[in-house]
Amino acid sequence: MSARQQKPTVDLKRLIRTIPDYPKSGIMFRDITTLLLDPQGLRAAVDGLMLPFAKMAIDLIAGIEARGFILGGAVAHELGKGFVPVRKKGKLPHKTIGQEYQLEYGVDAVEIHADAIAPGQRVLLIDDLIATGGTAEAAIELVRRSGGELVAAAFIIDLPDLGGSERLKARGVAVHTLISFGGH
Ligand code: AMP
């Protein structure tokens, strides 16, 4: 049996630190830096994100800035695929396509390089957490506008009370999450 098959079951929830009222009152911030610090926890999270897709046809992993870069980079490495950074507006050096999404107050935007995803390529989207689903939905729009096919969106944490995973499913996206927390 390989070392990976022998791994103990890891309680991912216990490794996530919750910071009340950050960045503002009423938000329970789910801090994954404590999970990233834990070798077994990090491996369990990356394995949990990628194993359902290990035998599927996938060309690229797209990760959302910034925690989606850490997790998505590890998933891309494990699956032997390339990585597409989905960045906040204005960070990428070459020609980009962008997609705005609604925040509680105002709008924000994410971008990818216009030549990052070729038509027909099959893309797996990764981030640490899905809340309202606005950020992931914008990233999915960029994949689709590039002509890519979104295979699934995978997150460590679901906040089901905020409705993001249901919102993506309603748009025909397969959503994979490892753990969930109630509330905001
Ligand atoms: P949303 O677009 O509402 O689904 O928000 C998802 C993005 O915001 C992800 O990139 C998360 O990392 C971050 N985020 C939203 N809510 C939280 C939270 N309660 N704790 C930690 N990160 C969060």
Side-chain angles (χ1 to χ4, degrees):
M1 206 187 236
S2 73
R4 187 160 300 170
Q5 286 168 317
Q6 284 171 349
K7 71 179 188 297
T9 51
V10 176
D11 183 356
L12 293 177
K13 253 182 151 165
R14 191 183 52 80
L15 291 171
I16 290 164
R17 172 165 58 190
T18 297
I19 302 175
D21 300 319
Y22 181 89
K24 58 183 184 185
S25 178
I27 303 288
M28 299 288 273
F29 192 86
R30 308 301 177 176
D31 173 21
I32 65 155
T33 64
T34 40
L35 167 64
L36 298 176
L37 272 172
D38 186 282
Q40 278 96 27
L42 177 57
R43 180 171 292 285
V46 173
D47 283 353
L49 288 171
M50 67 99 186
L51 282 175
F53 308 103
K55 294 199 161 62
M56 289 177 70
I58 287 169
D59 298 302
L60 292 169
I61 310 302
I64 299 175
E65 186 170 356
R67 283 159 275 163
F69 290 179
I70 301 163
L71 300 165
V75 168
H77 177 77
E78 284 287 307
L79 293 178
K81 308 299 174 190
F83 179 78
V84 179
V86 179
R87 297 218 63 179
K88 303 280 162 60
K89 192 179 170 65
K91 303 278 190 181
L92 287 167
H94 196 52
K95 188 166 179 268
T96 58
I97 56 169
Q99 184 70 39
E100 290 189 339
Y101 59 98
Q102 208 65 39
L103 299 173
E104 195 175 349
Y105 305 103
V107 291
D108 213 337
V110 285
E111 296 179 337
I112 60 172
H113 275 141
D115 59 1
I117 301 171
Q121 284 195 302
R122 291 169 57 81
V123 180
L124 172 64
L125 180 70
I126 303 280
D127 202 1
D128 66 326
L129 177 149
I130 180 157
T132 67
T135 320
E137 197 171 52
I140 289 164
E141 202 51 38
L142 291 176
V143 172
R144 291 181 169 166
R145 280 171 53 201
S146 303
E149 201 181 313
L150 202 278
V151 174
F155 310 85
I156 297 176
I157 304 163
D158 187 17
L159 303 184
D161 295 342
L162 290 168
S165 42
E166 287 309 313
R167 175 176 171 182
L168 295 196
K169 286 176 196 166
R171 297 203 52 204
V173 175
V175 179
H176 171 57
T177 60
L178 305 183
I179 55 173
S180 67
F181 289 97
H184 286 214

